[in-house]
Amino acid sequence: MKLILLGPPGAGKGTQAEILSKDLAIPTISTGNILRAAVKAGTPIGRKAKAFMDAGKLVPDAVIIGIIRERLEEADCTNGFILDGVPRTIAQAEALEEAGVLFDAVISLEVSDEAIVKRMDGRRVCTHCGTPFHVETKPPKAEGVCDACGGALIERDDDKPETVRARLTVYHEETEPLKHFYEKRGKLRTVPGDLGTIEETTKAIERALEAAH
Ligand code: AMP
């Protein structure tokens, strides 16, 4: 199964990807997590990406396309994968097609801008493995500690309200057109991302995936 999770920042892509990844036994590939690791390690890509990320802007397509093409060649991707946060532009989607990567389904998690701004306030992420938490809807078992790996949880710099608003603008301008791109290819499935619990959203995604077959 090759799947894309599309949606604004904070729609729940990372949380749903983590669940689906276990259920479907395929890896999640998050360019955001790859970039944050590169920033932390101070690699050339990390140094290039940092200013864009801090400003809530997109990292240039050429950088992202290089990262994703390299990652998809790794052995764990042979049975499929879930893309979380990529592609984010038409150019990235076209580059994936040109590389021969075709998808079974593209799930668009629909959440209003107002709900996103509220949600991002309580978001925490693991500095080590990137697993997302939320102080109200998905609290860790021990405060400030990742359930998955024991890493420290932090509030992301780019989750500040003013940066979230910038990221939402970028989403509407650059990423949302991908819905039409994949609709034309018969792959788009929209799923409400703010109607119920995390589990209910997972069930809605699973129903959409069944319908895709
Ligand atoms: P995310 O964790 O997916 O919200 O990504 C955090 C930040 O990393 C974004 O705000 C962008 O600056 C950058 N980023 C992640 N994925 C991409 C992508 N596919 N294209 C461009 N920039 C990206």
Side-chain angles (χ1 to χ4, degrees):
M1 168 85 72
K2 291 178 186 163
L3 199 63
I4 297 176
L5 290 183
L6 204 65
K13 301 186 298 294
T15 298
Q16 295 299 334
E18 185 196 339
I19 299 168
L20 294 167
S21 193
K22 281 190 196 126
D23 291 354
L24 302 169
I26 49 176
T28 291
I29 299 167
S30 152
T31 38
N33 284 349
I34 294 172
L35 289 167
R36 277 185 289 281
V39 170
K40 202 170 155 198
T43 66
I45 284 183
R47 286 200 297 274
K48 193 165 179 191
K50 190 176 185 314
F52 294 99
M53 296 172 76
D54 286 347
K57 292 187 181 153
L58 293 186
V59 171
D61 286 331
V63 175
I64 299 294
I65 291 165
I67 291 176
I68 192 73
R69 288 186 68 155
E70 201 172 291
R71 179 64 185 87
L72 292 179
E73 273 165 26
E74 286 181 34
D76 62 340
C77 291
T78 42
N79 292 328
F81 42 79
I82 301 167
L83 298 191
D84 162 16
V86 65
R88 254 179 162 98
T89 62
I90 298 280
Q92 292 175 19
E94 284 173 347
L96 286 168
E97 272 191 1
E98 278 157 26
V101 184
L102 298 175
F103 295 93
D104 297 291
V106 177
I107 301 287
S108 173
L109 277 178
E110 307 277 319
V111 182
S112 71
D113 286 9
E114 304 93 270
I116 294 288
V117 176
K118 255 192 234 154
R119 261 188 200 188
M120 299 295 252
D121 216 27
R123 178 151 90 161
R124 303 289 180 272
V125 292
C126 175
T127 46
H128 186 65
C129 71
T131 300
F133 294 86
H134 191 281
V135 290
E136 279 166 22
T137 54
K138 193 194 171 203
K141 291 194 184 90
E143 203 187 316
V145 181
C146 176
D147 293 354
C149 77
L153 302 185
I154 52 147
E155 197 171 356
R156 276 169 48 175
D157 280 346
D158 60 351
D159 281 352
K160 287 190 218 96
E162 61 275 20
T163 317
V164 169
R165 272 187 272 275
R167 291 165 67 202
L168 282 170
T169 303
V170 169
Y171 172 75
H172 292 305
E173 285 175 1
E174 310 228 28
T175 307
E176 220 169 9
L178 287 176
K179 290 205 284 191
H180 183 58
F181 181 92
Y182 287 114
E183 192 172 29
K184 278 195 294 187
R185 286 154 177 76
K187 299 299 176 194
L188 185 74
R189 305 285 178 272
T190 54
V191 170
D194 60 353
L195 288 189
T197 59
I198 290 171
E199 292 74 23
E200 282 161 348
T201 302
T202 307
K203 290 219 172 72
I205 294 175
E206 285 167 351
R207 280 195 297 274
L209 290 179
E210 277 162 25
H213 274 84

